[in-house]
Amino acid sequence: MTRSWYVIIAVSAAIFLVNYVLPSDLNNWTKTLNFSLDPILQDDIMQTETEWKLNDSEFGRRPFMVSIMQYGTRWTGLPSPLFFTLIQFLGYVLCLLALHRLTQRVWPDKAVSPLTLLPFILVFPNLFLFTAHAHTYDDLYQYLLLLIVLYGAIDRRPLLALACAAAACVVRETSLLCLPVLAYLLWQRTSWSPVGAIIACGFAGLAALLFLYSYVPNDLAQESMAFTQTTRFFAWRANFRDYVRINETLILTIIILAPFLLLAYRYREEIRQTPVQRDLVYSAIFLALSNTTAVYITAMAREARLLLLPLLPLLPVVSPFLQQEWTGGTLRWQTYSVREWCAALLGAIVATLLYQPSVGGTGYFYRFYVFCWVGIWILIFRRLYSGAGQEIKASHFPS
């Protein structure tokens, strides 16, 4: 294991520590900041909610995490918070490993450091993974499967990609949005015709739906359908009902997607030269449009993790450019002038004042995050778009 991977694991562990100190699933929802190990061993709230959500119309239709929580705690005898922490940390590390392998596959001739994963690790939803009822959320394992889908399509392993796509649709239904992406990549990367790729991806989605139909009890399926018809497609009313919600919805979208899309635009000429990178950027743009629209209409946009899907095909393309900029000096803070620091500080303050999270307590931490995140990206793009940053040569990345 390289030194970079030790840094990655340390940062990941720190994120879990942050979520353990804040009121979250990891500490069984203590009411204040938690600095004790006792909550992780208390099996009261999380176990009760797991049993309830197995039979709930909104959560029971996603059998992956609730089943793991139910049977895993029963088989291991571990308290639910401790077991949940171990399972999610494993999912987090596996996601990072899959993302790194995908990045290496996208740039096979470049020395890509695991440190290129840091932008993904530090993006808003990953930093505050569990400050919601996340023990029934399956996001990390959905991301893992979708990263394998992308890897399989790029590496010309269509059966692996299709199998993981079907599994990802079982884990979370938003994975259905990635089926057109998979069809496009199979068409571009294999000898399959467009019609054949579409049919194969359609069968993958159908297989997932048939599995859920056979697994989920009929009464729960009917309740879930009723919930979807009466509530799910009217979430836009909550997302845009007043200034605070509109503000929160748009700010979250911007801070999650905009930096990486702007980075891809900055290096569009280099990206266009290689079909794989170009196809992944097209896939990310499609997901940015379709997934963001779906979140606005069907879910609470303040659950920022739901906006993360487009970054899965985009991060492997743009992260190495940040690595090059780091080694070239653009990200070395002493190279910035006082005027640039003042511009970053002003932009960060404005963004922080504009962002009004609709949750109390932990919302203060969210606003502090926005301050740091926006300020750093302003400094980065100040150099990149002014031409002061080192130009990227697509033929070489340093080790």
Side-chain angles (χ1 to χ4, degrees):
M1 184 178 291
T2 65
R3 179 184 175 184
S4 297
W5 271 110
Y6 288 117
V7 173
I8 293 298
I9 292 177
V11 172
S12 302
I15 288 174
F16 274 74
L17 181 62
V18 167
N19 282 274
Y20 188 73
V21 172
L22 298 177
S24 71
D25 279 344
L26 295 185
N27 54 43
N28 233 335
W29 280 99
T30 57
K31 301 300 182 182
T32 60
L33 296 181
N34 171 62
F35 299 97
S36 169
L37 293 178
D38 293 338
I40 204 171
L41 302 177
Q42 296 174 1
D43 200 9
D44 45 6
I45 299 177
M46 187 177 290
Q47 182 62 35
T48 300
E49 286 199 2
T50 299
E51 297 295 333
W52 168 65
K53 289 185 176 180
L54 276 168
N55 301 307
D56 179 71
S57 61
E58 183 178 0
F59 300 95
R61 70 181 189 276
R62 303 180 189 136
F64 181 74
M65 185 56 71
V66 289
S67 297
I68 288 180
M69 290 295 298
Q70 181 190 39
Y71 295 110
T73 53
R74 183 183 304 172
W75 294 339
T76 63
L78 295 174
S80 293
L82 177 58
F83 181 78
F84 172 72
T85 303
L86 296 175
I87 289 296
Q88 292 290 52
F89 189 76
L90 174 64
Y92 199 51
V93 173
L94 289 177
C95 272
L96 299 178
L97 178 60
L99 183 56
H100 181 57
R101 291 294 300 273
L102 178 60
T103 306
Q104 289 179 314
R105 183 63 186 82
V106 173
W107 301 94
D109 301 325
K110 321 302 178 186
V112 180
S113 168
L115 289 177
T116 58
L117 300 175
L118 282 176
F120 178 77
I121 294 175
L122 297 177
V123 77
F124 190 98
N126 287 325
L127 196 60
F128 299 101
L129 278 171
F130 307 111
T131 47
H133 294 278
H135 63 274
T136 51
Y137 295 161
D138 313 87
D139 300 66
L140 291 174
Y141 288 93
Q142 177 198 24
Y143 301 157
L144 173 62
L145 288 167
L146 291 178
L147 288 169
I148 299 175
V149 168
L150 295 173
Y151 186 93
I154 291 173
D155 203 46
R156 295 181 174 86
R157 301 183 186 181
L159 294 182
L160 172 66
L162 289 167
C164 288
C169 293
V170 171
V171 173
R172 277 193 69 87
E173 64 273 20
T174 52
S175 301
L176 290 168
L177 296 175
C178 294
L179 292 181
V181 169
L182 177 57
Y184 172 75
L185 292 177
L186 289 178
W187 170 41
Q188 294 294 320
R189 299 293 298 168
T190 68
S191 59
W192 290 18
S193 67
V195 175
I198 292 173
I199 292 175
C201 292
F203 273 117
L206 181 62
L209 294 177
L210 289 176
F211 173 82
L212 290 174
Y213 178 79
S214 62
Y215 183 90
V216 177
N218 185 58
D219 56 341
L220 183 59
Q222 292 179 352
E223 292 176 6
S224 179
M225 184 64 66
F227 170 83
T228 299
Q229 294 174 345
T230 58
T231 304
R232 178 63 67 190
F233 291 104
F234 296 95
W236 59 270
R237 295 176 178 173
N239 288 327
F240 300 97
R241 72 184 180 194
D242 52 36
Y243 171 77
V244 172
R245 284 300 179 92
I246 294 174
N247 166 284
E248 184 178 39
T249 298
L250 297 181
I251 291 292
L252 286 176
T253 305
I254 291 171
I255 67 171
I256 291 171
L257 298 180
F260 304 102
L261 290 171
L262 285 173
L263 197 60
Y265 179 76
R266 168 64 179 81
Y267 294 109
R268 60 192 180 280
E269 297 301 329
E270 291 87 344
I271 291 171
R272 286 173 181 170
Q273 295 175 10
T274 308
V276 174
Q277 288 91 318
R278 185 178 64 245
D279 291 341
L280 286 177
V281 170
Y282 290 160
S283 300
I285 293 173
F286 168 80
L287 288 175
L289 295 174
S290 60
N291 182 72
T292 304
T293 303
V295 171
Y296 285 178
I297 295 174
T298 66
M300 298 294 102
R302 66 188 176 95
E303 299 178 24
R305 61 192 177 80
L306 301 177
L307 297 166
L308 199 62
L309 209 59
L311 295 188
L312 298 182
L314 189 60
L315 259 294
V317 178
V318 301
S319 289
F321 292 115
L322 282 176
Q323 177 185 334
Q324 177 70 19
E325 291 297 343
W326 177 271
T327 59
T330 303
L331 302 186
R332 294 177 184 172
W333 312 124
Q334 65 270 22
T335 64
Y336 290 91
S337 66
V338 174
R339 182 178 179 180
E340 289 170 328
W341 278 107
C342 291
L345 178 62
L346 179 61
I349 291 175
V350 170
T352 305
L353 293 176
L354 287 175
Y355 176 51
Q356 299 184 27
S358 58
V359 294
T362 51
Y364 294 108
F365 294 96
Y366 298 167
R367 299 184 82 174
F368 178 71
Y369 168 90
V370 169
F371 174 83
C372 298
W373 181 259
V374 171
I376 290 173
W377 278 105
I378 288 176
L379 286 174
I380 293 174
F381 284 112
R382 173 75 177 175
R383 285 300 179 92
L384 292 183
Y385 278 92
S386 67
Q390 179 181 354
E391 288 297 326
I392 298 299
K393 302 300 181 183
S395 60
H396 174 70
F397 285 122
S399 55

